[in-house]
Amino acid sequence: MNKNLTERTKKLTIMAMLCALAYIAVVVIHFPLVPAVPFLEYEPKDVIIVIGGFLFGPLSAACIAVIVSFIELITISSTGIIGLIMNILSTVAFVCPAAWAYRKNHTMSGAITGLISGTILLTAVMVLWNYLITPIYMGYPREAVVELLIPAFIPFNLLKGAINTALTLLIYKPLVTTLRKSGLLETSSSNGSSVRQFHVGISLIAVLVLITCILFVLVLQGKL
């Protein structure tokens, strides 16, 4: 009983830390990726939240996403309820498929499959919801929004997902190692094996993906 209570306390502590880190990520880092849609800004909070999903599952990731989005709503957001809904939809569409796939296949291939699936679902969901909501929220004619889908909304969400995937692969192992050394996360044979698979080769691939995304953004912005 005491052990279960201790484990639950540790889990809640880690989730609270992840909420705080995700919120800080939003406050400190946010910038537009595609010049055509400057109101769509990238922030790396989904990286922190999907790591929470890898640790505790898709439901926990969804809970962190909702909590962080509500904190944004009452502190820094100027987009109101619509912004809250879009925030939650965007994050959940990415982190939940990734966390679910990783839980089903607790390996590197499971993580990568989940992250790619999350990127695809994120893009599909946000294209649909931007088509439905943007004309109401921004006052754009729906025809104008349709014209922006391929040159703006789709590239933005694909870039966002790719950057999130690369950063997750780079950050996951160091963060989990730190949590284990602090005693907040138990060391298990399955988790230890899966963490060790985040090796140098995958890190190099993640760096290459990240550099490619950065160069592509610079090209879109006319800086290269």
Side-chain angles (χ1 to χ4, degrees):
M1 182 71 177
N2 289 336
K3 183 179 179 181
N4 290 338
L5 182 60
T6 301
E7 292 304 312
R8 190 176 304 170
T9 302
K10 287 181 178 180
K11 177 180 177 180
L12 290 175
T13 300
I14 294 174
M15 288 181 64
M17 290 171 56
L18 294 175
C19 285
L21 288 173
Y23 177 73
I24 292 170
V26 175
V27 174
V28 174
I29 305 172
H30 51 91
F31 53 87
L33 294 179
V34 182
V37 281
F39 58 89
L40 294 178
E41 292 189 324
Y42 173 81
E43 71 276 332
K45 70 175 181 180
D46 290 359
V47 176
I48 307 298
I49 298 173
V50 79
I51 289 174
F54 281 178
L55 293 174
F56 304 120
L59 181 58
S60 295
C63 289
I64 297 172
V66 171
I67 290 170
V68 174
S69 295
F70 268 106
I71 295 174
E72 287 182 59
L73 174 67
I74 62 178
T75 56
I76 60 172
S77 176
S78 59
T79 55
I81 295 298
I82 291 179
L84 171 70
I85 294 170
M86 297 293 276
N87 249 335
I88 293 173
L89 286 171
S90 172
T91 299
V92 167
F94 176 72
V95 304
C96 286
W100 181 84
Y102 188 56
R103 170 155 287 195
K104 291 293 183 181
N105 182 13
H106 212 64
T107 63
M108 170 60 69
S109 62
I112 293 174
T113 299
L115 290 166
I116 293 174
S117 299
T119 298
I120 294 171
L121 185 61
L122 161 69
T123 303
V125 167
M126 295 316 294
V127 164
L128 173 62
W129 281 89
N130 276 295
Y131 172 79
L132 295 174
I133 296 296
T134 300
I136 301 171
Y137 172 62
M138 300 296 296
Y140 288 179
R142 196 169 300 277
E143 294 77 11
V145 174
V146 171
E147 291 177 1
L148 286 173
L149 290 180
I150 293 177
F153 288 109
I154 291 177
F156 171 82
N157 287 290
L158 288 175
L159 276 170
K160 180 179 179 179
I163 293 171
N164 286 341
T165 295
L167 289 176
T168 301
L169 294 176
L170 290 171
I171 292 172
Y172 178 76
K173 180 179 177 179
L175 181 57
V176 171
T177 300
T178 300
L179 291 173
R180 287 196 172 120
K181 287 181 177 179
S182 69
L184 288 173
L185 195 63
E186 291 289 331
T187 301
S188 67
S189 56
S190 60
N191 281 344
S193 174
S194 66
V195 171
R196 282 194 296 271
Q197 291 181 62
F198 284 73
H199 46 67
V200 175
I202 292 299
S203 297
L204 290 175
I205 292 173
V207 169
L208 179 61
V209 171
L210 189 58
I211 292 173
T212 302
C213 289
I214 292 171
L215 292 175
F216 188 59
V217 170
L218 292 176
V219 169
L220 287 176
Q221 295 179 350
K223 296 178 181 180
L224 283 181

